[in-house]
Amino acid sequence: MKATQKLHELGQSIWLDNMTRDLLTSGTLRRYIADLSLTGLTSNPTIFDHAIKNSSHYDSAIRSKLTEGTSGETLFFELAIEDLAQAADLFHPIWDRTNGVDGWVSLEVSPLLAHDTNETLAAARALYQRAGKPNLFIKIPGTAEGLPAIEAAIFAGVPINVTLLFSREQYLAAADAYLRGIERRIDAGLNPAVPSVASLFVSRWDVAVSGKVPDELTNRLGIAVAQRTYRAYQELLTSARFQRAANAGARAQRLLWASTGTKDPMASDILYVKALAAPFTINTMPEGTLRAYGDHGEVHEMLAPDGGDCERVLASFTEAGICIDALAARLQDEGAASFVKSWNDLLACIESKSATIREAS
């Protein structure tokens, strides 16, 4: 039995953090579902930028859309929705079998809207309606401006993947926004079973402190922050507030581990997957990490519900001069800025390809 199957059977969902048209047309995504227990997929502007820039798989679709007068951001979202709609169909049997717990794909709103609550909400509702797939999450960043949009989108019945979370505190703020949306639905007499996941980014912590802490702390910060967040997640699931909502029909917002590809070439290529095995969570893995774990992965102890030794490890980082709260804020800001850059690069790539196609016509 592959490690991916063992992990799945222990209760953790394995998703792919990648989306390309070639994954669909080559049958690779279908094989990952069958062979590696894959049950979902996430995407972001960086992923689509690389997919469109580094292949010709989108050229014919771009050519067709240009003849229809479609360009720029609108053209991109049409391409992305076409891909994700096909992926959603592949995962739909899983979504149906699990009654909507699993089998999801994710599409992000424009990162240019990260600090605009009203525009983020409007974009989330419009994209979800355009896609027309029940198992599509719309990704909204858990920034201060994103939180009200998350609450409002949940109240409007739009499934949300809260992205760009880096700490326990940021996760709890996102969970609070989700629950407020659910509680408003309950008060309004609406069905409160609106799904959501909260995506905690892990490996970027270790990149941020690389070379700035003692060797014994290398590649331990991201895991410790994840452990602390997992404890808060467990506490929320057993809280009176959530249980009241659950009794009215609400579902739990599942915790998702993101950025779980190993960045340190001297570390295990499955470091974060091994460390973050936990039931009722999701690990969305880069394609290389997914294949590596399927090839030589192993399942040992599951993550301790009480966070294990995370507070002791985090205290060691504090002693080494790392301010966890300040770094969390910086990482979220940098993450938002990185997605904006990828978005601008993506639109520039589409414009460049469009110009080349027009000249060749």
Side-chain angles (χ1 to χ4, degrees), residues 75-148:
L75 191 155
F76 161 67
F77 275 122
E78 288 190 6
L79 294 174
I81 287 173
E82 286 172 359
D83 282 0
L84 290 167
Q86 290 185 60
D89 288 342
L90 287 178
F91 287 113
H92 193 274
I94 297 168
W95 183 86
D96 198 43
R97 185 173 67 246
T98 61
N99 197 27
V101 172
D102 215 338
W104 292 87
V105 302
S106 296
L107 172 65
E108 188 152 357
V109 297
S110 166
L112 300 179
L113 307 177
H115 298 292
D116 189 322
T117 296
N118 293 333
E119 289 298 320
T120 293
L121 172 61
R125 297 182 71 166
L127 288 173
Y128 185 63
Q129 290 169 0
R130 281 172 60 186
K133 297 296 178 180
N135 54 330
L136 174 73
F137 277 129
I138 301 300
K139 295 176 79 173
I140 298 178
T143 58
E145 296 82 1
L147 295 175

Side-chain angles (χ1 to χ4, degrees), residues 82-281:
E82 286 172 359
D83 282 0
L84 290 167
Q86 290 185 60
D89 288 342
L90 287 178
F91 287 113
H92 193 274
I94 297 168
W95 183 86
D96 198 43
R97 185 173 67 246
T98 61
N99 197 27
V101 172
D102 215 338
W104 292 87
V105 302
S106 296
L107 172 65
E108 188 152 357
V109 297
S110 166
L112 300 179
L113 307 177
H115 298 292
D116 189 322
T117 296
N118 293 333
E119 289 298 320
T120 293
L121 172 61
R125 297 182 71 166
L127 288 173
Y128 185 63
Q129 290 169 0
R130 281 172 60 186
K133 297 296 178 180
N135 54 330
L136 174 73
F137 277 129
I138 301 300
K139 295 176 79 173
I140 298 178
T143 58
E145 296 82 1
L147 295 175
I150 291 161
E151 176 187 342
I154 292 297
F155 178 63
V158 179
I160 297 298
N161 176 341
V162 184
T163 188
L164 282 181
L165 301 175
F166 286 90
S167 67
R168 173 187 60 189
E169 289 73 20
Q170 291 175 5
Y171 156 71
L172 287 172
D176 180 61
Y178 170 70
L179 277 172
R180 286 198 306 270
I182 292 299
E183 289 161 348
R184 287 173 58 189
R185 290 184 66 85
I186 293 170
D187 291 343
L190 301 172
N191 185 339
V194 181
S196 179
V197 297
S199 299
L200 187 87
F201 285 50
V202 181
S203 67
R204 295 188 189 186
W205 282 97
D206 294 317
V207 173
V209 299
S210 177
K212 301 175 183 176
V213 295
D215 290 346
E216 62 268 21
L217 294 178
T218 299
N219 295 322
R220 299 190 65 187
L221 181 53
I223 293 168
V225 169
Q227 289 174 302
R228 172 187 268 182
T229 305
Y230 184 62
R231 182 177 64 197
Y233 173 59
Q234 291 291 322
E235 290 170 350
L236 180 62
L237 292 179
T238 58
S239 69
R241 182 187 183 188
F242 171 71
Q243 290 178 351
R244 282 194 300 270
N247 197 56
R251 290 187 168 182
Q253 179 190 51
R254 284 199 296 168
L255 185 59
L256 179 151
W257 309 124
S259 186
T260 56
T262 305
K263 307 299 192 295
D264 181 355
M266 303 301 292
S268 166
D269 57 357
I270 53 175
L271 170 69
Y272 299 106
V273 183
K274 288 194 300 181
L276 300 177
F280 203 52
T281 65

